[in-house]
Amino acid sequence: MKRRTKRIRRRNAWMLTLLILLILTSISGFIFIMSQVENSNNNTPQEEIEKEKAREAKRVVVINEAHQLVKGYYYQEAIDLLKSDSEIFNDKMKSEVKKIEDFMIELKPYIGRIEHVFFHSLIVYPELAFGPNSSQPQGYNYWMTTALEFQRMLPLLMERGYVLVRISDLYDVDSLGNVTKKDVYLPEGKRPLLMSIDNVGYPENRKKEGFASRLFINQNNEVSAMIRNLEGLEIESRTAEVFPIVDDFVKENPQFSYRGAKGLLGITGSWGVMGYDPKIASEVTTAKVIVQRLKETGWEFANHSYTHADGKYFSENSTLEGIKEDTQLFKQWITPVIGESNVFIAPFGITLKGELYQYFIDEGYAFYLNVDRRSQPKILGKSVLMPRINLDGFVMNKDKEYINQHFFDVDKVYDDRRPAFE
Ligand SMILES: [Zn+2]
C-alpha cells in the first residue's frame, strides 16, 4: 500500500515537471516570436545603435526647426512639429514642448500704441534722384527714403521691439462689416508695427532717376527688383526695393515678423501695377504671378485709388461723383489683378468726411488709411480710420526728436548723400 502510494506520487511529480516544462517552453517560444515581430528587420546591437543615431539626428533637425517657428511666433505649429513623429519623440522633445507651453502661458495681449509706417519706392541712386537731370530733386528729398536708409532702419526698429503684423492681427471684421479690436499676443518688450508702401508702380521717368523699374520673380522664386544701373543696364537687385530687402531681412531675423507678416502694397491705377500695365493682357498675366508670390510670402494689397489725382477725386474739392468714378475704375482694372482688399489708402493722406468717407465703407473698405504722425487708429462706424507716419527725408528732418523717441536714432539712418534740406 505504501509502495503504491509512493509510485503514484512519483508519477504525479513527473507529470507536474513535464507540465511546467511545457508551459515554460510555450512562454519562451511566445516571447521569442514576439521579439522577432518587433525587430522583424534587424536587431543586432550595432544596428540598433545606428538606428538610434539616425533618430537623434532627426531630433536635432526637428528641434532646430521648432526653434525657428517659435522665433516667428508660430508656437502651436512648433509644438505640433515636435509631436509629429512618435518614432523620435522622447523626453528631450517632451521638455522642448513643455518650454514652449510654459512660454505661451506667460504671453499677454499687447497694450499700447499701434504704429503704422509707410514708404514710397526707394531711391537707389541718389546721384540720379537728386542730380541735375532729376524731374523733382526736392520732392524726392522730402517724400522718399533711400535704399540705404531703409536697410539701416530695419535692425534699429527690431532693436526697439517692433514686429511686423497684419491689420487682421489687430482687428476682426464680421460678416455684417462690424469692426472690433482683436488681441495680439506678443512676448514682453515686443510691439506691433504695420507697414505700407504707396504707389507701387514704376513710371518711365523714375527708371532714369535711380528707382527700380519693376518687380519680377527670380530663379529662386523670390520677388525681386529690376533696376537700370548707372551704366544704363537693367539688372536684378535684392536691395533696390522694400520687398526683397524685407524678405531677406525676415529670413535672417524671423523675430521681426509676426507669423510671416510683411506689409501692404498700395496700388495706383495710373502708375501701373508693380511695373506692369493693367490694360495689357500679357502684362496682367505676369503681374498676377507676382501678386500671388507676394501674398504667399506675407504681403497684402490695398486700393491706393485709380487716378491718384486731386480736384474732384482727392482734395478739399472731392465730390461723391469723383470718388465713385475713381473707385469703379479701380475695381474694373486693378482689383482683377491684385484681388479683393478691404483697405483703402487715401492719396495724399487726405481724410474724406461725411458721405464721402461713408462711400468707402459701403464699398467694402473697412480700413481707411490716412497720414498723421501723432494720432492713433479709431473705430468709426463700420470702419477703422488708421493714421500712418512717413519715415522719409521730410520727417527725419522736421520731426527728428519724435522719430528718435519712437522709432530709431535718425543720425544712424540718415543718408548723407541727400542734398541740404530747405
Ligand atoms: Zn500715393
Side-chain angles (χ1 to χ4, degrees):
M1 189 68 184
K2 254 188 181 171
R3 198 178 290 159
R4 211 178 141 213
T5 321
K6 221 178 179 180
R7 224 175 27 233
I8 290 168
R9 273 202 197 132
R10 201 180 293 151
R11 201 180 63 197
N12 281 352
W14 266 108
M15 281 180 76
L16 193 70
T17 321
L18 213 69
L19 195 70
I20 290 170
L21 265 170
L22 203 71
I23 290 169
L24 280 175
T25 13
S26 344
I27 290 175
S28 61
F30 180 73
I31 290 171
F32 176 74
I33 287 163
M34 287 316 286
S35 69
Q36 286 306 296
V37 169
E38 255 177 45
N39 295 320
S40 51
N41 295 325
N42 41 46
N43 65 341
T44 69
Q46 188 51 41
E47 278 163 340
E48 199 36 61
I49 290 168
E50 289 302 318
K51 266 182 142 186
E52 177 50 26
K53 248 194 207 164
R55 282 195 290 265
E56 188 53 29
K58 245 187 190 176
R59 267 175 216 129
V60 171
V61 172
V62 170
I63 290 172
N64 273 338
E65 227 172 286
H67 286 171
Q68 286 301 104
L69 286 171
V70 167
K71 273 192 198 163
Y73 314 89
Y74 293 100
Y75 304 119
Q76 193 54 51
E77 289 81 353
I79 292 174
D80 293 345
L81 176 70
L82 287 165
K83 288 181 172 173
S84 64
D85 189 348
S86 59
E87 282 260 314
I88 60 169
F89 195 75
N90 66 356
D91 282 352
K92 182 162 125 191
M93 296 186 78
K94 209 187 239 174
S95 84
E96 289 288 335
V97 169
K98 174 94 168 63
K99 261 193 263 171
I100 303 170
E101 284 171 346
D102 290 348
F103 185 74
M104 284 171 81
I105 292 169
E106 291 299 311
L107 291 173
K108 290 181 187 74
Y110 172 79
I111 307 164
R113 281 182 69 87
I114 304 286
E115 302 293 359
H116 190 146
V117 297
F118 82 97
F119 303 90
H120 290 93
S121 288
L122 303 174
I123 295 172
V124 182
Y125 299 118
E127 52 271 67
L128 298 181
F130 305 127
N133 297 322
S134 171
S135 63
Q136 42 167 327
Q138 198 196 359
Y140 292 155
N141 200 17
Y142 270 54
W143 310 119
M144 301 292 176
T145 308
T146 72
L148 179 67
E149 288 168 343
F150 187 75
Q151 286 171 278
R152 286 172 172 171
M153 273 177 208
L154 297 183
L156 299 177
L157 289 167
M158 190 170 69
E159 264 174 38
R160 299 265 184 122
Y162 283 111
V163 179
L164 293 174
V165 298
R166 297 174 178 84
I167 290 179
S168 57
D169 294 319
L170 305 175
Y171 293 95
D172 270 326
V173 184
D174 72 12
S175 57
L176 298 171
N178 299 305
V179 190
T180 44
K181 265 207 103 203
K182 183 174 163 182
D183 285 335
V184 59
Y185 289 80
L186 294 175
E188 207 170 334
K190 297 285 183 193
R191 43 184 164 167
L193 183 68
L194 292 160
M195 179 172 70
S196 43
I197 302 89
D198 288 6
N199 307 24
V200 187
Y202 304 96
E204 231 11 78
N205 67 305
R206 294 269 172 105
K207 298 178 188 175
K208 299 175 214 138
E209 294 179 324
F211 295 85
S213 51
R214 64 189 164 97
L215 299 185
F216 80 111
I217 294 187
N218 71 10
Q219 289 170 325
N220 307 324
N221 198 25
E222 297 165 318
V223 174
S224 216
M226 276 292 186
I227 185 161
R228 201 172 294 174
N229 69 10
L230 293 172
E231 285 78 47
L233 290 171
E234 209 186 39
I235 53 157
E236 178 186 357
S237 168
R238 300 289 301 158
T239 53
E241 248 306 12
V242 166
F243 318 102
I245 294 174
V246 171
D247 284 345
D248 291 347
F249 185 77
V250 168
K251 209 174 271 174
E252 285 289 308
N253 304 280
Q255 66 271 34
F256 190 59
S257 162
Y258 179 72
R259 302 178 65 80
K262 302 277 176 60
L264 266 172
L265 286 82
I267 302 294
T268 300
S270 59
W271 288 56
V273 183
M274 308 175 300
Y276 301 88
D277 187 335
K279 292 188 174 171
I280 299 175
S282 62
E283 300 208 7
V284 167
T285 307
T286 308
K288 277 182 164 176
V289 177
I290 303 168
V291 167
Q292 174 64 24
R293 190 67 193 131
L294 282 164
K295 287 182 177 177
E296 285 165 6
T297 50
W299 298 92
E300 296 180 296
F301 288 79
N303 174 353
H304 186 37
S305 86
Y306 185 82
T307 61
H308 205 285
D310 52 13
K312 68 171 178 173
Y313 299 110
F314 302 96
S315 77
E316 304 247 298
N317 305 315
S318 296
T319 65
L320 190 56
E321 184 216 353
I323 62 165
K324 266 187 186 170
E325 181 196 325
D326 184 282
T327 306
Q328 294 319 312
L329 281 168
F330 190 91
K331 290 194 170 185
Q332 181 185 349
W333 293 107
I334 309 300
T335 304
V337 186
I338 64 168
E340 293 291 335
S341 170
N342 60 2
V343 182
F344 178 70
I345 303 180
F348 322 114
I350 194 159
T351 312
L352 296 172
K353 304 242 154 58
E355 61 171 0
L356 301 183
Y357 183 86
Q358 185 61 39
Y359 174 76
F360 282 96
I361 302 180
D362 296 343
E363 285 293 302
Y365 297 100
F367 301 93
Y368 185 108
L369 279 45
N370 61 354
V371 179
D372 186 323
R373 301 205 290 276
R374 297 292 187 275
S375 60
Q376 281 286 283
K378 278 195 280 284
I379 293 181
L380 284 181
K382 290 185 171 183
S383 79
V384 176
L385 176 63
M386 183 177 281
R388 304 179 303 156
I389 178 165
N390 39 321
L391 296 180
D392 52 21
F394 182 84
V395 167
M396 284 193 286
N397 275 283
K398 303 287 186 191
D399 211 1
K400 187 173 169 181
E401 265 323 298
Y402 186 80
I403 301 300
N404 285 342
Q405 260 174 39
H406 286 79
F407 297 100
F408 49 76
D409 185 345
V410 170
D411 291 335
K412 287 186 181 161
V413 166
Y414 202 79
D415 193 331
D416 56 22
R417 295 172 299 173
R418 283 179 181 274
F421 212 81
E422 297 139 38

